[in-house]
Amino acid sequence: MSSPAAKTKAASELKAALRPVGGAIASVAIASGVINLLMLTGPLFMLQVYDRVLPSRSEATLIGLSLFALAMFLFQSLFEVLRSRMLIRIGRLFADRVSPKALHVLAEAQGAEGLQAIRDLDTIRSFAGGGSAAFFDLPWTPLYVALCFAFHPGLGVAVLAGAVLLSLLTWAGDRLTTRSSEELATLSTARGRRTEEMRRNALMIDALGMRTRMQGRWLERTHTYLDRQDAAQGLASYLNAATRLLRTVLQSAVLALGAWLVIHQEASGGIMLAATILTIRALSPVELAIANWRGFVAARQSWSRLDAALTSTPSRQGPTSIALPKRELSVVAVSVAIPASERAVVANASFVLRAGSALGIVGPSGSGKSSLARAVVGVWPTARGVIRLDGATFDQWDRDVIGGAIGYLPQDVELLAGTVAENIARFAMDRSAEAVQVAAAEADVHEMILRLPDGYDTQVGEGGTMLSGGQRQRIGLARALFGRPFLVVLDEPNASLDSAGEQALLRAIVGIRQRGGIAIVIAHHGSALAAVDQLMVLNEGHVQRLGPRDEVLKALAASAPPQARAAQGKTRRTASKGRAIAASRRSAADAQARTHA
């Protein structure tokens, strides 16, 4: 639960984004005042024509009034254009200031909550650049009502009654549509998630004959969404119809009342027509506000959601720069829970790894291995305990800085739309071709990349769909090794690899250890553990065994059934092969050093 101080801070972030445009908002208010004053040109021109020009039959007066009115109409149009441009600019400036915070929410939040922050920001920006103009005109309605009172109290009462009735309709519409708008937003998000799910898994759905069933699930969500949308649109149509009816009746009533006053010589014909136009002008801001009310409600709800998102995901202050880690990883009594859940999937895990070490983590599916890996690289928070690199926690570095010292290959490897080189280099703008090729060579993927249509400049497609699963996995390994990070965490790195790929993986792990890095390898297959020196057995979130790899394997073999012992014997033989690879690399390095000497 967020503290009051955190809520105040988050609320101030949105308000702070408006402060630089405060002068522009004041300019919009001034421009709106000028526009509304210039809108009096029409009724005053008509009043002068009927009460001054027609009785005097003066052509010069008519020409002068017409030219003056034309100039005022041109100025009115100019100010309306300027106001529109200023509102668009205000929306853009607000979005530019809040976008980094919204992207921070997107990076920290899980699932659709992060995307909702971006959509909310777009909604606020869109309303600020368009529908907000009606609400700058609304405060000028009393001026038109006052002028109608100046013409005749009866006319003023009629216009005031119409404005009050329209305001009541607006208030009632807000009360009736607020809840339905919130439901529509929730249903729209759920429908969007279902649509994206079907798009991502289209091939699997077709292959398993699930298309009809998945379409049924999607249509069920869609029908619910459309039913709510139809109800909301029906209510809005009733409100708009009532508004138009009231406006038409009121205009006719004011005209009839003016005619009655003319008949009884209590007003002139010019006043009658001018009052009719003023009635239209007085009700126009109210009517425009009603027309843009749905946009206002959506923007208000978006503001509240974005405020809440910033409250729960406050911006991080830039920490004091400290040296990148190069000695030790310490995990002390760490428990990990799935974000937005209270259920712990890892409980009280502790271990220490020093430079040049590699830890293998094994265990049945669902034992918490991937969750522990996400916590170790700092993308999931710890429920309890602490993770330190050279004695410092992750929040003591800027995330982009510490990210350069970490390599991570997730279980589900996804590449980003771009070239192979951009993906390996983590889209660094200052990347060098040499550093990219070094990472590719360490992952033993250089030759494979050269065989692609455009080599390192080959476009991988959205999610890496232009490549096979094994190619994505090996390029993902090169991305994890780019820049020779200190800590490299590989989650099921051999899931899509052939035998050549597995040998390349072993060499990569050996290389990490030889250059003084730390590797953590999560695997079901024993071959991936050949190059590690430490082994952890994780079961149901608890560390069952931890120690030197060979000792843990012997302990497991002693308590395992015969078939499992045979599999573990194969693992030990593969481990010996991994040690041989490491020894050969050390011998080659020694020979090269002697040659240089």
Side-chain angles (χ1 to χ4, degrees):
M1 183 177 294
S2 301
S3 65
K7 290 182 178 180
T8 302
K9 179 180 182 298
S12 66
E13 287 185 359
L14 284 182
K15 293 178 181 178
L18 289 177
R19 291 192 191 111
V21 296
I25 294 175
S27 298
V28 170
I30 293 171
S32 298
V34 173
I35 290 169
N36 281 273
L37 290 175
L38 291 173
M39 283 182 176
L40 296 174
T41 302
L44 293 178
F45 175 71
M46 185 169 292
L47 178 65
Q48 294 300 315
V49 168
Y50 271 84
D51 291 353
R52 184 184 297 273
V53 174
L54 292 182
S56 66
R57 300 184 180 274
S58 172
E59 294 180 358
T61 304
L62 177 60
I63 293 173
L65 288 173
S66 299
L67 292 175
F68 179 79
L70 178 61
M72 294 301 101
F73 290 144
L74 290 175
F75 274 114
Q76 177 185 332
S77 299
L78 175 62
F79 274 96
E80 286 178 344
V81 170
L82 290 175
R83 181 176 69 171
S84 177
R85 296 299 302 168
M86 283 191 290
L87 287 173
I88 293 172
R89 187 61 180 162
I90 288 171
R92 175 63 183 272
L93 290 174
F94 176 80
D96 287 345
R97 290 183 63 84
V98 180
S99 288
K101 300 178 178 65
L103 287 174
H104 175 66
V105 173
L106 176 62
E108 295 290 329
Q110 301 293 321
E113 289 77 7
L115 291 175
Q116 185 62 51
I118 303 297
R119 287 194 291 265
D120 287 337
L121 179 58
D122 288 341
T123 299
I124 296 171
R125 179 189 57 78
S126 178
F127 177 75
S132 60
F135 295 89
F136 281 96
D137 290 335
L138 199 58
W140 291 91
T141 296
L143 171 66
Y144 304 118
V145 176
L147 285 174
C148 290
F149 270 104
F151 288 153
H152 192 278
L155 295 173
V157 169
V159 175
L160 179 62
V164 170
L165 287 175
L166 281 176
S167 300
L168 288 175
L169 278 176
T170 304
W171 176 82
D174 178 48
R175 300 287 294 179
L176 293 173
T177 59
T178 297
R179 184 174 179 181
S180 62
S181 297
E182 292 174 350
E183 290 180 355
L184 271 177
T186 302
L187 291 171
S188 177
T189 301
R191 181 171 175 259
R193 282 200 301 263
R194 186 73 69 197
T195 303
E196 178 61 19
E197 180 184 60
M198 291 183 64
R199 185 194 67 81
R200 282 199 320 267
N201 300 284
L203 296 179
M204 181 272 291
I205 290 171
D206 277 349
L208 300 181
M210 299 166 56
R211 178 184 293 184
T212 301
R213 292 191 290 275
M214 295 305 296
Q215 285 179 348
R217 285 163 57 89
W218 183 84
L219 287 173
E220 181 180 353
R221 296 260 184 179
T222 299
H223 288 158
T224 303
Y225 170 75
L226 293 179
D227 287 344
R228 296 288 193 280
Q229 189 179 55
D230 290 346
Q233 289 177 344
L235 182 61
S237 65
Y238 293 144
L239 182 62
N240 290 334
T243 301
R244 287 193 298 270
L245 174 63
L246 179 60
R247 183 195 62 188
T248 304
V249 170
L250 184 61
Q251 289 174 5
S252 300
V254 170
L255 182 61
L257 178 59
W260 188 86
L261 293 173
V262 171
I263 292 172
H264 290 79
Q265 298 182 350
E266 295 184 27
S268 64
I271 287 178
M272 176 186 69
L273 295 176
T276 304
I277 297 177
L278 278 175
T279 301
I280 298 172
R281 186 58 247 163
L283 299 182
S284 180
V286 180
E287 190 175 355
L288 284 175
I290 293 173
N292 290 280
W293 195 254
R294 290 183 64 186
F296 170 71
V297 171
R300 185 179 62 188
Q301 292 172 349
S302 294
W303 182 282
S304 298
R305 282 194 299 265
L306 190 56
D307 185 7
L310 294 178
T311 300
S312 59
T313 317
S315 299
R316 297 173 180 172
Q317 298 295 326
T320 302
S321 297
I322 58 175
L324 289 174
K326 57 182 179 181
R327 298 190 309 272
E328 180 182 271
L329 167 69
S330 172
V331 177
V332 182
V334 164
S335 296
V336 183
I338 297 174
S341 172
E342 299 294 331
R343 185 175 67 87
V345 291
V346 177
N348 202 34
S350 297
F351 58 89
V352 176
L353 296 175
R354 291 179 174 82
S357 298
L359 171 68
I361 302 179
V362 297
S365 298
S367 58
K369 302 187 298 297
S370 295
S371 299
L372 180 59
R374 295 183 185 115
V376 167
V377 297
V379 295
W380 272 17
T382 58
R384 287 185 298 275
V386 64
I387 298 174
R388 297 183 183 274
L389 290 167
D390 287 1
T393 55
F394 283 104
D395 57 6
Q396 292 179 269
W397 285 283
D398 182 90
R399 187 66 231 187
D400 286 346
V401 173
I402 189 60
I406 294 175
Y408 179 47
L409 180 66
Q411 189 172 5
D412 298 321
V413 181
E414 281 202 18
L415 303 180
L416 304 177
T419 66
V420 171
E422 287 175 328
N423 274 275
I424 292 176
R426 310 181 187 187
F427 288 83
M429 299 300 295
D430 57 348
R431 64 181 179 275
S432 68
E434 181 182 358
V436 172
Q437 292 174 32
V438 166
E442 290 184 353
D444 201 13
V445 75
H446 176 71
E447 296 296 331
M448 184 202 79
I449 293 174
L450 293 180
R451 291 192 295 270
L452 294 174
D454 296 314
Y456 282 89
D457 295 324
T458 301
Q459 294 287 333
V460 303
E462 184 181 353
T465 53
M466 303 301 293
L467 305 175
S468 68
Q471 289 174 324
R472 287 197 300 271
Q473 190 120 26
R474 295 180 70 176
I475 291 174
L477 176 60
R479 179 177 61 188
L481 298 175
F482 177 77
R484 297 195 165 186
F486 171 68
L487 173 63
V488 180
V489 179
L490 309 175
D491 191 353
E492 297 289 348
N494 58 344
S496 302
L497 298 181
D498 54 16
S499 58
E502 290 197 349
Q503 292 303 314
L505 173 63
L506 290 176
R507 290 191 290 271
I509 298 172
V510 171
I512 293 169
R513 296 183 60 187
Q514 288 182 342
R515 61 176 169 78
I518 292 175
I520 297 178
V521 184
I522 298 171
H524 283 295
H525 304 301
S527 59
L529 305 175
V532 305
D533 61 326
Q534 302 287 318
L535 189 61
M536 174 191 292
V537 180
L538 202 61
N539 191 11
E540 294 184 355
H542 296 276
V543 178
Q544 289 191 333
R545 294 184 186 275
L546 174 64
R549 181 200 55 209
D550 293 339
E551 293 181 10
V552 173
L553 289 176
K554 287 179 183 178
L556 291 176
S559 61
Q563 291 180 348
R565 284 199 295 271
Q568 289 164 3
K570 182 178 178 182
T571 299
R572 286 196 296 275
R573 290 192 294 274
T574 308
S576 299
K577 189 173 182 181
R579 288 195 296 273
I581 292 173
S584 65
R585 283 202 167 192
R586 285 194 297 271
S587 299
D590 293 340
Q592 187 177 9
R594 287 194 297 273
T595 300
H596 286 300

